[in-house]
Amino acid sequence: MSNYLEWDFLTDFVEKAFVAYGVPEDEAKICADVLLQSDKKGIESHGVNRFKPIYIDRIKDGVQNPVTDFEIIRESPTTAVVDGHDGMGQVIAYRSMKMAIEKAKKYGMGMVAVRNSTHYGIAGYHTDMAADAGCIGMSGTNARPSIAPTFGVENKLGTNPLTVSFPTDEPFHFSLDCATSIIQRGKIELYAREGKDTPAGTVIGRDGSALTDSNQILHDLQTGEAALAPLGGIGEELSGYKGYGYATIVEVLSAALQQGSFLSMLTGIGENGEKTKFHLGHFFIAIDTEAFMGLDSFKKTAGDIMRELRSSQKAPGAERIYTAGEKEYLIWQEREKTGLPVNESVQKELIAIRDDAGLVDFRFPFED
């Protein structure tokens, strides 16, 4: 019995499962690719770990539309505003970044702002699209209220990643994809699945105390009795106001340009406790390096910067210094051969999806 799944098998299953729940086949391929890129990079918090609860269950609950109505409501040569009509966030994001890249290739820069979307997977997938095209890519998204403002205890801001990718002359892009909270909700979900506590100091209760019980934290985040600390932590002592400030920037760019929803409007919970659509906002920026001193010179300088950083003096006991995107590249070098390790909790969810969708041709190796 193996708890590893081969990539071709897993890709085929995820694509067909999305289709079974109403996602058009060409869009299901995009959704599957975004989802599995997380696992290929070792970012389990956003991979098949979230397939059922974040995507399939939301489609079944009617808070996310499987067929995406991608509407351009305003456009200029370098900008666009898109309404995603609560369709598949991965599809909305893919098409939006593609549009931003096309504008950048023609005019040097392009930006697309999105309203009424849903969870779009790892932000780095979309910024890597720009890097693949020789551009600097930037993206951000707001999310369910999770972060308390500095000196506050009420969850107001989402985990709001501010993500940047750009090409280098190395085998992998520089890709910084991280939340503006000190920990993200997906990591706590993973801790809960694995029966682990959340590290002390990353979540604050309404009474100002540090919370560690992962399952209780997830419950309390929903009820508003807990909030994540911003990057830097609680208060000003370790510069938590910086994470708070960056999260606020992402919130504004994900709402003000496109006149979308923000802060407490994004809870996904109605007045009577019912599940509602999230109406998330995103932004996508592409900057063509050819519009400056050219792609090759950019990649060489960027690569030189990465190599000098990695070759600098290491701390005692440290084996090596990494640059953003390197660890994910190394994980893929290994996982490309081994497949994806799947824990028991996710195994049960994949079986449940298969049975519910009637995908009888699929049998997982961990069932043997």
Side-chain angles (χ1 to χ4, degrees):
M1 185 173 71
S2 173
N3 67 335
Y4 282 81
L5 292 178
E6 295 180 356
W7 293 108
D8 288 347
F9 173 90
L10 185 56
T11 300
D12 190 31
F13 172 74
V14 173
E15 287 178 3
K16 284 185 168 57
F18 272 125
V19 170
Y21 288 98
V23 180
E25 186 174 353
D26 58 333
E27 296 180 359
K29 291 181 183 297
I30 295 171
C31 294
D33 196 41
V34 176
L35 186 76
L36 296 183
Q37 278 297 323
S38 301
D39 288 315
K40 289 177 179 180
K41 293 184 173 186
I43 310 171
E44 281 94 349
S45 60
H46 282 63
V48 291
N49 178 64
R50 285 194 155 191
F51 187 28
K52 183 179 184 295
I54 300 299
Y55 303 112
I56 300 303
D57 286 355
R58 289 181 181 179
I59 290 172
K60 293 175 67 175
D61 289 340
V63 300
Q64 181 165 328
N65 300 322
V67 178
T68 299
D69 178 10
F70 185 90
E71 182 186 8
I72 301 169
I73 59 176
R74 191 167 186 177
E75 186 173 15
S76 78
T78 58
T79 65
V81 177
V82 167
D83 193 318
H85 294 285
D86 305 296
M88 300 302 291
Q90 302 99 320
V91 176
I92 297 164
Y94 178 88
R95 294 185 62 181
S96 296
M97 181 54 91
K98 186 177 179 182
M99 186 187 303
I101 293 167
E102 289 169 352
K103 291 177 179 295
K105 287 297 180 181
K106 191 170 183 179
Y107 297 104
M109 300 179 71
M111 181 173 184
V112 177
V114 175
R115 70 187 187 195
N116 295 328
S117 186
T118 57
H119 193 278
Y120 72 0
I122 52 169
Y125 180 96
H126 313 296
T127 55
D128 280 354
M129 285 175 60
D132 288 341
C135 295
I136 298 166
M138 302 178 68
S139 182
T141 177
N142 57 19
R144 290 178 291 176
S146 297
I147 299 177
T150 299
F151 299 133
V153 295
E154 185 179 1
N155 52 10
K156 281 293 182 183
L157 292 152
T159 49
N160 294 13
L162 181 59
T163 302
V164 180
S165 296
F166 50 72
T168 75
D169 61 358
E170 299 189 301
F172 52 92
H173 302 315
F174 174 95
S175 184
L176 182 65
D177 181 4
C178 50
T180 47
S181 58
I182 200 167
I183 193 172
Q184 67 268 41
R185 192 188 295 254
K187 184 66 71 68
I188 299 171
E189 290 170 354
L190 190 61
Y191 285 142
R193 288 170 181 271
E194 295 176 347
K196 296 179 181 177
D197 282 343
T198 296
T202 59
V203 182
I204 187 172
R206 276 298 182 108
D207 60 358
S209 63
L211 306 180
T212 60
D213 185 317
S214 299
N215 284 301
Q216 187 64 44
I217 287 170
L218 291 173
H219 175 270
D220 291 349
L221 285 172
Q222 289 279 25
T223 62
E225 292 303 309
L228 307 181
L231 279 173
I234 298 165
E236 289 189 331
E237 198 167 304
L238 294 175
S239 300
Y241 62 89
K242 295 180 181 179
Y244 167 38
Y246 286 128
T248 304
I249 289 170
V250 174
E251 192 77 29
V252 171
L253 293 178
S254 298
L257 291 170
Q258 55 279 71
Q259 289 300 281
S261 300
F262 55 87
L263 297 180
S264 301
M265 299 162 68
L266 303 172
T267 61
I269 304 295
E271 292 182 1
N272 299 314
E274 74 278 13
K275 294 178 180 179
T276 61
K277 294 179 177 177
F278 288 95
H279 306 309
L280 303 185
H282 321 305
F283 64 90
F284 304 89
I285 300 170
I287 304 168
D288 189 13
T289 57
E290 286 289 358
F292 293 84
M293 298 301 290
L295 175 59
D296 289 342
S297 62
F298 179 91
K299 290 170 69 174
K300 173 66 166 57
T301 300
D304 287 345
I305 292 170
M306 300 304 123
R307 287 184 285 274
E308 182 169 339
L309 288 169
R310 291 198 299 266
S311 64
S312 62
Q313 184 174 350
K314 296 182 286 293
E319 292 185 5
R320 62 187 294 182
I321 294 171
Y322 296 89
T323 50
E326 184 181 10
K327 281 188 176 182
E328 291 81 357
Y329 170 76
L330 294 173
I331 288 172
W332 171 236
Q333 297 307 293
E334 183 62 31
R335 287 193 171 181
E336 186 176 18
K337 308 168 200 166
T338 66
L340 176 67
V342 181
N343 66 43
E344 187 175 344
S345 175
V346 176
Q347 289 174 18
K348 292 178 180 177
E349 289 188 349
L350 293 177
I351 292 170
I353 291 171
R354 180 200 60 194
D355 294 346
D356 185 54
L359 299 173
V360 296
D361 292 337
F362 288 91
R363 183 169 181 81
F364 299 104
F366 43 73
E367 294 182 281
D368 296 333

